[in-house]
Amino acid sequence: MYDVIIIGAGVSGSAIARELSRFEANVCVLEKCEDVCEGTSKANSAIVHAGFDAAAGSLMAKLNVRGNEMMDDLCRDLDIPFKRNGSMVVCIHKEALPGLQELYDRGVKNGVKGLKILTREEALEMEPNLSDNVEGALYAPTGGIICPFKLCIAMAENANVNGVDFRFNTKVENIKKDEDGLWHIRTNNGEYVSRYVVNAAGVYSGVIHNMVSKDDDKIEIIPRRGDYCLLDKEVGNHVSHTIFPQPTNLGKGVLVSPTVHGNLIVGPTAIDIEDKEGTNTTADGINDLIAKANDHVKNLPMRKVITSFAGLRAHEARHEFIIGEVDGAPHFIDCAAIESPGLTSSPAIGEMVGNMLKEMMGLTPKANWISTRKDVMNPADLSVEERNELIKKNPAYGNIICRCESISEGEILDAIHRPLGARSLDGVKRRTRAGMGRCQAGFCSPKTMEILHRELGLEYEEITKSGGRSNIVIERTKNQKGGEK
Ligand SMILES: Cc1cc2nc3c(=O)[nH]c(=O)nc-3n(C[C@H](O)[C@H](O)[C@H](O)COP(=O)(O)OP(=O)(O)OC[C@H]3O[C@@H](n4cnc5c(N)ncnc54)[C@H](O)[C@@H]3O)c2cc1C
């Protein structure tokens, strides 16, 4: 029996798990996929928003601004990359200039610091590749860029080191409160029992909520798909700030931004769909985003695209985070409808839900809570002399597996053997960047598979791209039947 079960190991569930790990409580995270960061948290713009978008006074606005403020300390403690590169909302129609003032005023009400409205000349001086049509811009120095995988993985790892149990490949199928007053959670891997439940199931948070809520309190989460193009590092400095168009009722629009690892990202679109697993891109979506991005940034080097992908926002009609105890379901906490800026808000969501449960359960702090963790060691951060020393001590750091990103066998071994270690190609990719480069894993996949096979004792047929049925080797070839794989 657990004190708290969290459903979902995305950035919300992982942040809540880390906050709860500060206290004396028996906590477990149930995740239907084979790793953390398999839902929306793995496919977004990776922007730490300043906080001028959300309606003044909303929970979304408060958690956005608080999450943004928490990011420096959190990223330092968890050893993950974060850069305050600043963001600009660009106006390209003179008649739309008052819209910048509205955003500025809302930002001030939300507590965003340092906002400034720029003239056309000031904006172009800061970003020479803005469209020739630029009329002005809203500049937010607190806007930033982050690695969404590292944020989610680091919070989960740190929670795990502090005693939180993670059960992967465990899908919640039904939840009932029994006569014993406890929550009984049926999964594909048997029943779990808990005093408190937190629903952090992303696009499925409505489905989970509806398992326990009253008939007149059902919620519907609409997957709002966003397509992206990711461009090569060669053109990562086409802009240095995150460049947004003026927002519409469908969201913040198609942005152009450097990533924290030096690529350029362009996207997302905003298309409401029915399929909660519908993360396919479409030609129409990609063409649409390219056209829109070109409205506010010129000479976009779209021939340098290395991959495209899509993510699903957990959109709810009220466009507000739903966080709190479900009416008529005591001890069941929703963390639902966490659409953008959910990544930015995640540390604040963790803090809020952690404090809520601390009060409700009367939790006491752990004396020996570990607040920091070290990321997978990156030899690229070392001097040549230090790297040579490292390779002398451990030759695996001299064996380059991913040529595009210069990732060594040593880093992959670290990713596999650390807490909540990688078990699939994507698990290795998100922890080390092996396979994230220009060739998109064409060269390193077989080599990474060899390492997974050797280190985890997995048969080649058992190794997957990202768990489930994403096997890479299906069977032996005709000539090799019964022979070598
Ligand atoms: C296109 C797009 C762009 C975005 N850009 C930004 C941005 O730049 N900045 C920003 O701040 N935010 C952004 N966001 C929002 C942000 O990505 C999300 O708010 C955040 O990732 C949501 O995290 P989560 O943990 O709530 O959900 P998820 O990451 O989806 O995690 C939910 C988890 O629950 C698991 N789960 C679901 N059902 C079950 C079940 N029955 N049993 C067990 N496990 C289950 C899933 O497998 C998943 O791992 C963007 C989102 C999208 C889609």
Side-chain angles (χ1 to χ4, degrees):
M1 211 234 346
Y2 288 98
D3 294 317
V4 186
I5 282 184
I6 300 166
I7 303 169
V11 77
S12 304
S14 300
I16 295 165
R18 178 172 187 262
E19 281 300 315
L20 284 177
S21 76
R22 292 173 187 268
F23 305 107
E24 294 293 349
N26 197 6
V27 181
C28 175
V29 179
L30 302 180
E31 169 53 55
K32 72 180 169 72
C33 296
E34 62 94 40
D35 200 355
V36 300
C37 202
E38 284 285 346
T40 301
S41 302
K42 77 174 179 198
N44 50 58
S45 314
I47 306 302
V48 172
H49 292 289
F52 49 76
D53 283 291
S58 64
L59 184 60
M60 209 179 237
K62 280 184 208 145
L63 294 178
N64 183 154
V65 173
R66 174 74 185 138
N68 179 306
E69 280 167 5
M70 292 169 79
M71 225 37 111
D72 298 278
D73 287 351
L74 182 70
C75 294
R76 189 202 53 230
D77 286 353
L78 299 182
D79 193 22
I80 57 176
F82 169 50
K83 188 173 172 195
R84 283 200 191 274
N85 64 324
S87 65
M88 288 164 80
V89 178
V90 174
C91 174
I92 54 167
H93 299 292
K94 224 178 205 125
E95 63 278 18
L97 276 170
L100 292 184
Q101 186 63 44
E102 268 173 45
L103 283 180
Y104 175 93
D105 293 343
R106 197 189 306 155
V108 170
K109 273 192 202 143
N110 289 351
V112 181
K113 298 198 180 88
L115 288 173
K116 188 174 179 226
I117 294 184
L118 306 176
T119 61
R120 168 187 162 81
E121 290 70 30
E122 287 170 328
L124 281 168
E125 196 175 322
M126 285 169 73
E127 276 300 349
N129 276 326
L130 289 185
S131 155
D132 292 335
N133 299 329
V134 58
E135 295 286 351
L138 175 68
Y139 172 55
T142 56
I145 47 181
I146 196 164
C147 174
F149 320 120
K150 297 242 177 208
L151 176 65
C152 185
I153 291 168
M155 291 193 292
E157 246 183 54
N158 190 225
N160 182 245
V161 165
N162 283 300
V164 175
D165 205 0
F166 280 75
R167 299 294 171 100
F168 295 111
N169 299 310
T170 302
K171 181 178 178 187
V172 173
E173 294 170 342
N174 198 16
I175 308 174
K176 284 260 170 322
K177 188 164 240 183
D178 235 334
E179 281 155 11
D180 55 12
L182 302 171
W183 291 105
H184 289 248
I185 303 177
R186 196 185 75 210
T187 76
N188 58 326
N189 273 333
E191 188 180 81
Y192 288 77
V193 181
S194 173
R195 292 168 61 212
Y196 289 77
V197 176
V198 178
N199 165 22
V203 281
Y204 291 93
S205 54
V207 174
I208 301 288
H209 167 99
N210 294 343
M211 288 178 185
V212 304
S213 61
K214 294 182 192 162
D215 286 346
D216 59 354
D217 176 34
K218 300 297 176 197
I219 56 177
E220 187 191 2
I221 300 291
I222 299 148
R224 180 169 282 178
R225 201 185 64 215
D227 298 11
Y228 288 96
C229 288
L230 188 74
L231 280 65
D232 194 77
K233 286 182 175 174
E234 200 183 300
V235 294
N237 59 1
H238 193 72
V239 293
S240 58
H241 302 85
T242 301
I243 311 296
F244 294 99
Q246 286 181 283
T248 67
N249 58 359
L250 270 179
K252 294 183 265 290
V254 172
L255 60 82
V256 179
S257 180
T259 73
V260 81
H261 296 291
N263 296 83
L264 191 75
I265 191 166
V266 181
T269 51
I271 304 155
D272 288 349
I273 59 169
E274 284 178 13
D275 181 3
K276 291 189 181 0
E277 301 290 328
T279 52
N280 57 297
T281 56
T282 62
D284 284 350
I286 299 290
N287 289 336
D288 183 37
L289 80 86
I290 294 172
K292 286 186 172 139
N294 272 300
D295 280 346
H296 50 287
V297 177
K298 68 180 173 193
N299 303 327
L300 267 175
M302 295 310 290
R303 288 169 67 91
K304 298 289 174 188
V305 171
I306 59 170
T307 190
S308 60
F309 63 93
L312 301 178
R313 305 166 183 87
H315 178 67
E316 204 270 342
R318 287 162 285 182
H319 186 53
E320 172 65 309
F321 295 159
I322 301 174
I323 302 180
E325 199 169 25
V326 174
D327 193 19
H331 300 182
F332 189 100
I333 317 286
D334 263 341
C335 182
I338 309 297
E339 55 184 307
S340 186
L343 188 71
T344 312
S345 310
S346 60
I349 291 174
E351 182 180 64
M352 179 180 168
V353 177
N355 283 337
M356 202 182 277
L357 284 165
K358 179 187 159 206
E359 293 305 317
M360 289 167 84
M361 301 170 70
L363 298 176
T364 52
K366 248 180 219 162
N368 53 354
W369 186 65
I370 301 163
S371 61
T372 58
R373 56 73 95 170
K374 283 308 271 177
D375 195 14
V376 172
M377 209 256 279
N378 183 0
D381 293 339
L382 304 177
S383 67
V384 174
E385 294 74 31
E386 287 168 329
R387 226 182 296 175
N388 283 340
E389 255 330 284
L390 174 73
I391 294 167
K392 258 192 227 155
K393 280 194 206 128
N394 186 348
Y397 283 102
N399 180 17
I400 296 296
I401 301 294
C402 167
R403 289 180 182 173
C404 303
E405 295 285 317
S406 278
I407 306 298
S408 64
E409 182 184 358
E411 290 152 89
I412 296 177
L413 292 174
D414 184 355
I416 292 172
H417 293 299
R418 58 181 30 241
L420 302 183
R423 300 187 62 79
S424 65
L425 286 184
D426 278 0
V428 169
K429 179 168 86 174
R430 293 195 200 111
R431 285 165 180 81
T432 64
R433 293 190 59 75
M436 292 258 189
R438 189 179 286 177
C439 93
Q440 286 289 298
F443 177 79
C444 62
S445 288
K447 288 173 170 274
T448 306
M449 287 174 72
E450 270 174 41
I451 301 172
L452 286 166
H453 163 69
R454 186 185 75 212
E455 297 298 316
L456 297 176
L458 292 171
E459 292 299 329
Y460 282 97
E461 290 92 333
E462 291 174 310
I463 298 174
T464 62
K465 183 173 184 308
S466 57
R469 295 173 64 192
S470 64
N471 308 68
I472 296 142
V473 174
I474 304 300
E475 58 181 20
R476 294 155 201 233
T477 59
K478 203 171 168 191
N479 292 337
Q480 289 177 316
K481 255 206 171 124
E484 288 298 304
K485 284 165 206 163

